[in-house]
Amino acid sequence: MAQVQVYNQEGRKTSKMELADSVFAIEPNESAMHLAVVSYLAAQRQGTQSTLTRSEVSGGGAKPWRQKGTGRARQGSTRSPQWTHGGIALGPKPRKYKVGMNKKVKRLAMKSALSTKVAANEMLILNKLEFEEIKTKAMVEVLANLKTGKKILVILPENNDVIYKSARNIEGVKVVTVNTLCVYDILNANNLVVLKDAATKIEEVYA
């Protein structure tokens, strides 16, 4: 089992923690991670865009002019696509952009993403993260002590409003729980700041 350094809020080394190789030290599967990212981004698309076809716009019940003898092109309705205020031909309609993934591939993608961060020394274990009150300055100081990058993903074992609200106004910082963790957020971050309890919980879920 791989050993990683554990830090406190002041950025000092306190101890070491063993991480399960089956979760944090596997051979990353790029195909699984790519599919997970594509699936996540596709799920962010609403797919609610909609245009009106010739059957949905109002008017156009009568034939504009007789079929033959006028010298003009034949027309059947003033709501055909070539007319002003006519329907839209081949326009977008509501649809789902969902990209399916089975459970095994989801688990593989998650473990691959975590292993990638550990191998690149971009994951920091924090023994605890506690604030007496909601204070953005306190969160900024902790991140400065840990010397993290610009994009930081803080992973908590469970919801904590004090930490979440202390970090929500800091650019590039996102706070998630183990239950809401996704591959896209992991790969999009420069550094992961994982609470010790959260790391244990991740092992329990994905081992």
Side-chain angles (χ1 to χ4, degrees):
M1 299 179 79
Q3 283 194 340
V4 292
Q5 193 69 53
V6 179
Y7 297 85
N8 60 15
Q9 292 183 193
E10 289 72 40
R12 300 191 188 94
K13 298 177 181 178
T14 59
S15 61
K16 289 193 175 182
M17 180 181 182
E18 289 188 344
L19 297 177
D21 290 344
S22 60
V23 178
F24 294 98
I26 70 166
E27 182 68 30
N29 187 305
E30 292 186 5
S31 296
M33 289 191 288
H34 177 264
L35 182 59
V37 171
V38 169
S39 178
Y40 173 84
L41 293 176
Q44 307 309 301
R45 301 181 69 177
Q46 289 185 320
T48 56
Q49 71 274 45
S50 182
T51 53
L52 299 178
T53 64
R54 61 183 293 170
S55 65
E56 294 171 318
V57 292
S58 61
K63 187 174 174 67
W65 50 76
R66 59 194 175 95
Q67 181 82 345
K68 303 176 73 68
T70 65
R72 290 180 289 185
R74 54 194 175 190
Q75 299 290 333
S77 170
T78 57
R79 291 301 173 258
S80 297
Q82 71 270 23
W83 284 75
T84 302
H85 306 304
I88 302 297
L90 307 177
K93 281 293 184 183
R95 57 166 289 191
K96 292 182 179 179
Y97 292 94
K98 183 178 180 180
V99 176
M101 285 182 70
N102 63 48
K103 288 182 180 179
K104 285 186 178 180
V105 177
K106 283 182 181 179
R107 291 172 65 88
L108 177 60
M110 181 63 73
K111 292 192 286 187
S112 296
L114 291 168
S115 298
T116 299
K117 288 298 181 183
V118 172
N121 292 321
E122 294 176 352
M123 189 174 89
L124 302 173
I125 303 294
L126 202 60
N127 60 356
K128 65 177 181 178
L129 186 58
E130 297 176 350
F131 302 134
E132 294 180 358
E133 59 180 342
I134 298 170
K135 203 167 185 67
T136 303
K137 184 178 179 181
M139 190 68 184
V140 171
E141 288 177 357
V142 171
L143 297 177
N145 292 335
L146 295 173
K147 299 178 181 179
T148 53
K150 291 184 178 180
K151 288 185 178 180
I152 306 156
L153 183 66
V154 181
I155 305 175
L156 308 177
E158 55 192 15
N159 286 324
N160 188 314
D161 279 346
V162 175
I163 296 175
Y164 172 75
K165 291 179 179 179
S166 296
R168 65 182 174 181
N169 287 331
I170 305 174
E171 185 179 0
V173 177
K174 184 174 183 178
V175 178
V176 299
T177 63
V178 174
N179 294 335
T180 59
L181 185 61
C182 72
V183 173
Y184 177 83
D185 285 339
I186 294 173
L187 297 178
N188 191 46
N190 295 130
N191 289 101
L192 307 184
V193 176
V194 187
L195 265 68
K196 193 174 181 179
D197 291 343
T200 302
K201 196 170 183 179
I202 289 172
E203 289 183 345
E204 292 173 356
V205 174
Y206 294 101

